[in-house]
Structure formats: C-alpha cells, structure tokens
C-alpha cells in the first residue's frame, strides 16, 4: 500500500516561513518524519509538494486512478479551491486533511475548508506530528 502525502503552496518553505505559526521543522524534516513513520507502519509513502494548482490536481487524478490513500495539506487552496476539492472528491481510498497550524484558532477565512466534508479525518494544530498520525491512521484502514 502506498500513501501519497501531498502538500500545496508555500509548504516547501517550512522552517523559514512564519516559524511562530508553522514551527521550525523544515520541509526536509517533514519528509523524513513521514518516511520514518511509514516504515514503522509498514506502508510505502510518496511525499510531494507543489506551488502549482494544476500539478496538484494531476497528482489527485493519478491517486484516484491508482486507488491510493492521500494525506493532503492543500495549504491556502483548502480555503479557496473548488477545483482541488473536485479532484479530491474522485479519490476511491480515504483522504486525510492535515494542517500544521490550528486553522480554527486563526483568521476567519481559514475556518472554511472545501475538503473537510469529503475527508475521512481532519488533523489540525499538531505540526508535522499531524502527518504521522494521518499515515498511521491510513495504514490501519
Ligand atoms: C496550512 C494552513 C493554511 O491556512 C495556510 O494557507 C497554509 C498552511 C497549515 O498547514 O497550517 O499554507 O495548511
């Protein structure tokens, strides 16, 4: 079983990007943590990041066709993109929505998600440990 871990815009800048909000762990740390947890959980993991919405939509189409489970941090697209939602809606395997920060404790525009109602689970505010929890959950489903 392969779990796709897909990250949207600005997440490649973790560690330098607003560390007071997103922590000091870098994107490379995030990838390492996902790979370590996947190994423990006995699944394969493929961790990717893009700042291009079309690329993200293509990855979601590929995951739908492959029947892969997805951990998705869509970043700002979470709050804006019907197109990313429509692509994620096509997934056959479970989707887990992850946010490093607790979006519900932040600006009002971050309280709306186009993904939460189509996700099997939502993890917010746990930093990169949220990805670990999501991968462990998907490994058991
Ligand atoms: C985020 C929260 C979003 O509101 C924001 O646009 C991001 C990161 C998070 O992981 O906390 O880019 O998805």
């Amino acid at each position: 079983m392969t779990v796709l871990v897909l990250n949207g815009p600005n997440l490649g800048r973790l560690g330098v990007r607003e560390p007071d909000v997103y922590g000091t762990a870098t994107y490379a740390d995030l990838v390492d943590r996902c790979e370590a947890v996947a190994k423990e959980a006995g699944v394969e993991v493929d961790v990717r990041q893009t700042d291009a919405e079309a690329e993200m939509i293509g990855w979601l189409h590929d995951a739908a066709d492959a029947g892969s489970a997805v951990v998705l941090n869509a970043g700002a697209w979470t709050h804006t993109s019907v197109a990313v939602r429509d692509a994620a809606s096509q997934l056959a395997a479970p989707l887990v929505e992850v946010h490093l920060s607790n979006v519900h404790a932040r600006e009002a525009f971050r309280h709306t998600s186009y993904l939460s109602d189509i996700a099997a689970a939502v993890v917010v505010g746990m930093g990169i440990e949220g990805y670990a929890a999501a991968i462990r959950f998907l490994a058991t489903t």
Side-chain angles (χ1 to χ4, degrees), residues 3 5 7 29-43 45 47 71-72 96-100 123-124 126-140:
V3 174
V5 180
N7 293 283
D29 294 333
L30 186 158
V31 174
D32 287 349
R33 186 76 183 114
C34 289
E35 289 177 350
V37 169
K39 199 171 175 186
E40 284 167 21
V43 295
V45 79
V47 188
V71 176
L72 177 59
V96 179
E97 176 185 354
V98 170
H99 299 285
L100 295 150
V123 185
V124 303
M126 288 173 57
I128 64 173
E129 284 310 304
Y131 289 75
I135 291 165
R136 282 196 207 98
F137 168 72
L138 289 171
T140 64

Side-chain angles (χ1 to χ4, degrees), residues 14-27:
L14 285 179
V16 289
R17 173 194 186 196
E18 299 179 82
D20 50 319
V21 176
Y22 296 111
T24 53
T26 64
Y27 180 72

Side-chain angles (χ1 to χ4, degrees), residues 33-68:
R33 186 76 183 114
C34 289
E35 289 177 350
V37 169
K39 199 171 175 186
E40 284 167 21
V43 295
E44 299 292 318
V45 79
D46 183 352
V47 188
R48 304 179 192 173
Q49 189 274 327
T50 183
D51 294 321
E53 191 173 3
E55 187 167 38
M56 175 63 79
I57 290 168
W59 288 345
L60 288 165
H61 291 169
D62 292 345
D65 291 345
S68 302

Side-chain angles (χ1 to χ4, degrees), residues 9-11 17 22 73-79 98-103 106 109-110 131:
N10 298 303
L11 290 163
R17 173 194 186 196
Y22 296 111
N73 185 346
W77 295 328
T78 307
H79 320 299
V98 170
H99 299 285
L100 295 150
S101 64
N102 178 0
V103 286
R106 300 181 63 196
F109 65 84
R110 295 185 205 276
Y131 289 75

